[in-house]
DNA sequence: TTTTAGCACTCTCGTGTGGAGAGTGCTAAA
DNA sequence: TTTAGCACTCTCCACACGAGAGTGCTAAAA
């Protein structure tokens, strides 16, 4: 059994993947020699194709059809043949510019990132909001609305804003609420949920009540594996020929739509290391619904402070080069933004 | 030409719709008499079916197939035959309870509403966040992060929270920022964007700068036809047989995914009147992508203050009764919540 | 006038057949 | 080791055929 692929086998595998990705049609020995002017005959190519199939890098839909890469084939392509890819300079500039224009507008970042990622990688994009490893209190404001109903606005370190309603047993005016907010802000600044819990008993009764609520919000935030998920580009990807028949589309739609499924995939496939990129091809045996899909997943943010995930979903026959470079570049941009938010 | 349907025609149309919705199969005269024990022969039913087809309420996929309702048929069914429908008491109780449990947790309302609506109506659900007709300033807080970077948290009347980063030309400490916030809060409380613009020139330079930013945020908020759109249940609906072949699924996915398309449909189809429900069947000729889909749309909130939209999307062969009653009931629940938020 | 029985007619659907075309796998020679 | 040549296999398309489902029509019955 041959261990390593010969250089010519590597080249042919490379061409098969590129040609198939582009044409969506199983590729034959003849197209290969004609289209790429290899100086060898189709019979030779056929021998090599047969060898590559024996080794598990390619398959046959049926005897008299061309070759199609297997997940193993794609994997080898991504790991060994793709090389270092980067988005062209003008695209990087355009993307940076779009983020720059939205630099202040916090609420826009995530949808913008999803939209740019989808367009750049030509796939369906997923972005989760940055999530601190452990949330820390930054600022709180109690705002009177009507009667005994109060709006609590809690800002966590990193800029996450949470809101909650609370019902007072007796009405308090804005003046009193602001004073209580100020007291809490002085005492709790920079603390985690458990640190706050440790000193609740030192607070006056009303403030203690509010602090309990705050602890609840922070614990709930920390318990969630990922915040909101932003999506884009699903409908474009569903037009790809492999999804025209419902069956294969299911997996794709489930990753994009079902939160629990996405979280399971992320938890399983995504290393917590910021900057690393993981390519999951054809579900890797574990996710049968994703047999026809590949995912390119990355993590952005600042390790130890806050991180989020972003990814591209497409058919196994996807533009891995674009997807990987897009995920890498955009995750870099987002990491910088998170860094700015957390440095202090 | 016959103007009104005879009672028997009404009954037969009713049965055809119900049977087809349930079985997904074109319904024949024989199934009708057998399944529902009409006291008449299949030949008589066939005559009536032919008449209903002539009048445009039913069609034929082909000569020797059973009947399928046309959009006109569904429309008549919804308008005249469905009657007043309401969710069973225990479902209403369950739903009310779920909302009650999330009563304080503002951020949960919309995803919860989408999820409940999808499950109850057995369709794909869309919910837009309540959007005030004109936003009014309620509260602002400037929070120092690092150096000259400041987080601006703006609360609008009705509880909408917006955040924005700003870069100072010279650093200010939290003390100074809080004082500026307090001054702005006293001067701007309850004002609209244009009212704030009218008195910017009376403010000291730093506060004026912040006020300009606030105006920008508020104007952007008011310009958006709808806030964030919350979705749920798409993948379930896509399993319906009519969407198994890609073509028809496109329209459904576009409504759910493409913001601009959804906004166009909402603007066109949805009356601004709170509480009214609009049923859009088969795209009504205007939206060809929705040929195979129906929408049940409603508006909730408090007219003149803030309203949002919610809707169910499904195949034309959808459970109109459930969908309409679910939209009505949930829009009632949401309206109450909005009312609480705005009453002051 | 309305309803019904009966029957011919039409259309789908599954299956089978045959020919064209694409592409391979193998063999034997270069 | 490479290559030319050729048989073989499989898909795809078109066509045909019979079974089955359901209608539309006609003529008789209520």
């Amino acid at each position: 059994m041959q261990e390593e692929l010969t250089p010519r086998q590597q080249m042919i595998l490379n061409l098969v993947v590129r040609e198939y990705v582009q044409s969506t049609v199983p590729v034959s020995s003849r197209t290969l020699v004609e289209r790429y002017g290899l100086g060898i005959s189709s019979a030779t190519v056929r021998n090599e194709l047969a060898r590559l199939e024996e080794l598990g890098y390619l398959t046959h839909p049926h005897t008299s059809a061309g070759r199609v890469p297997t997940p193993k084939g794609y994997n080898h392509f991504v790991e060994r043949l793709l090389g270092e890819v980067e988005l062209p300079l003008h695209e990087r500039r355009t993307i940076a510019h779009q983020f720059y224009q939205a630099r202040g507008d916090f609420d826009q970042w995530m949808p913008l990132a999803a939209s740019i990622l989808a367009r750049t990688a030509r796939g369906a994009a997923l972005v989760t909001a940055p999530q601190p490893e452990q949330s820390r209190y930054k600022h709180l404001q109690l705002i009177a609305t009507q009667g005994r109903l109060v709006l609590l606005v809690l800002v966590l370190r990193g800029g996450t804003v949470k809101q909650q309603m609370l019902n007072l047993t007796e009405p308090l005016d804005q003046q009193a609420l602001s004073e209580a907010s100020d007291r809490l802000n002085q005492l709790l600044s920079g603390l985690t949920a458990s640190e706050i819990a440790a000193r609740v008993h030192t607070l006056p009764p009303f403030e203690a009540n509010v602090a309990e609520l705050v602890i609840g919000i922070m614990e709930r935030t920390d318990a969630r594996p990922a915040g909101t998920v932003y999506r884009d580009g699903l409908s474009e990807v569903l037009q790809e020929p492999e999804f025209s028949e419902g069956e294969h589309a299911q997996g794709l739609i489930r990753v994009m739509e079902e939160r629990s499924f996405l979280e399971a995939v992320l938890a399983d496939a995504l290393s917590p290391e910021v900057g690393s990129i993981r390519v999951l091809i054809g579900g890797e045996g574990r996710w049968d619904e994703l047999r026809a899909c590949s995912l390119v997943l990355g993590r952005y943010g600042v390790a130890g402070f806050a991180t989020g995930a972003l990814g591209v979903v497409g058919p196994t026959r996807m533009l891995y080069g674009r997807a990987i470079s897009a995920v890498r570049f955009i995750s870099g941009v987002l990491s910088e933004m998170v860094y700015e938010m957390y440095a202090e």
Side-chain angles (χ1 to χ4, degrees), chain A:
Chain A
M1 190 56 154
Q2 164 184 353
E3 286 293 317
E4 269 293 312
L5 296 182
T6 66
R8 193 169 66 184
Q9 284 168 344
Q10 305 254 14
M11 178 204 56
I12 289 177
L13 176 55
N14 194 344
L15 292 183
V16 170
V17 173
R18 288 176 194 277
E19 178 65 23
Y20 180 64
V21 164
Q22 211 193 7
S23 70
T24 83
V25 163
V27 5
S28 76
S29 52
R30 200 155 53 86
T31 23
L32 237 36
V33 297
E34 281 182 4
R35 198 102 78 199
Y36 296 92
L38 318 178
I40 50 179
S41 80
S42 69
T44 311
V45 174
R46 268 203 297 284
N47 286 332
E48 296 287 38
L49 291 176
R51 191 90 193 95
L52 284 167
E53 177 156 4
E54 224 174 286
L55 295 169
Y57 295 96
L58 299 174
T59 359
H60 253 165
H62 55 86
T63 21
S64 84
R67 287 335 200 275
V68 168
T70 59
K72 180 174 175 185
Y74 283 120
N75 204 58
H76 189 270
F77 173 77
V78 169
E79 301 276 328
R80 312 283 296 276
L81 304 174
L82 196 54
E84 276 305 299
V85 280
E86 219 181 345
L87 292 178
L89 181 61
H90 71 272
E91 284 196 78
R92 302 205 305 273
R93 281 226 182 100
T94 312
I95 293 171
H97 180 68
Q98 286 176 282
F99 277 108
Y100 177 76
Q101 287 202 311
R103 65 196 173 286
D105 198 348
F106 212 89
D107 309 317
Q108 287 285 61
W109 286 7
M110 293 294 115
L112 184 63
S115 154
I116 293 178
L117 182 54
R119 241 159 292 256
T120 311
R122 316 244 173 91
L126 287 167
V127 183
T128 73
Q131 178 89 351
E133 209 154 272
Q134 193 166 37
S135 29
R136 287 181 177 275
Y137 183 102
K138 170 138 201 156
H139 190 97
L140 173 150
Q141 185 70 42
L142 295 166
I143 302 168
T145 59
Q146 57 155 343
R148 312 198 312 269
L149 211 55
V150 168
L151 180 63
L152 182 164
V153 176
L154 174 66
V155 181
L156 301 175
R157 186 180 289 179
T160 312
V161 177
K162 297 276 168 183
Q163 50 193 311
Q164 170 113 25
M165 294 297 297
L166 61 151
N167 248 308
L168 304 182
T169 46
E170 68 221 65
L172 282 174
D173 66 1
Q174 182 63 57
Q175 180 67 26
L177 290 173
S178 290
E179 282 165 15
S181 307
D182 290 345
R183 273 195 296 279
L184 285 164
N185 286 333
Q186 278 191 325
L187 290 168
L188 303 184
S189 181
L191 301 186
T192 65
S194 48
E195 287 166 353
I196 296 176
R199 61 193 74 183
V200 162
H201 66 276
T202 67
L203 298 170
F206 175 67
E207 279 84 343
N209 270 337
V210 175
E212 289 288 1
L213 266 176
V214 168
I215 292 169
I217 298 174
M218 289 172 70
E219 280 176 348
R220 246 178 292 147
T221 307
D222 291 343
R224 292 252 185 85
T228 327
V229 180
Y230 298 84
R231 301 176 264 262
D232 206 333
L234 177 58
S235 56
E236 278 86 353
V237 179
L238 280 173
Q239 309 216 14
E240 297 289 335
E242 34 267 274
F243 299 121
S244 65
E245 284 181 66
E247 206 203 331
H248 285 304
Q250 277 305 319
L252 175 59
I253 295 169
R254 284 193 61 193
V255 192
M256 295 293 287
E257 260 257 322
E258 275 178 43
R259 209 193 153 74
S260 56
F261 190 62
L262 174 66
E263 277 170 6
V265 175
L266 279 185
D268 188 72
L270 187 54
S271 93
E273 196 183 324
V274 169
S276 71
I277 291 188
R278 178 88 154 74
V279 182
L280 185 90
I281 292 162
E284 307 229 319
R286 280 194 300 277
W287 311 97
D288 198 50
E289 297 92 330
L290 300 179
R291 216 171 337 116
C293 300
S294 284
L295 280 74
V296 176
L297 300 170
R299 189 168 276 285
Y300 71 91
V302 179
F305 289 95
T307 60
L310 78 173
V312 177
V313 193
T316 44
R317 181 190 61 72
M318 86 188 293
L319 297 168
Y320 289 98
R322 280 198 82 77
I324 292 172
S325 47
V327 167
R328 184 181 300 129
F329 181 69
I330 293 175
S331 102
V333 174
L334 290 177
S335 293
E336 266 178 50
M337 291 183 153
V338 172
Y339 179 74
E340 278 196 11
M341 297 298 297
Y342 274 82
E344 60 185 281

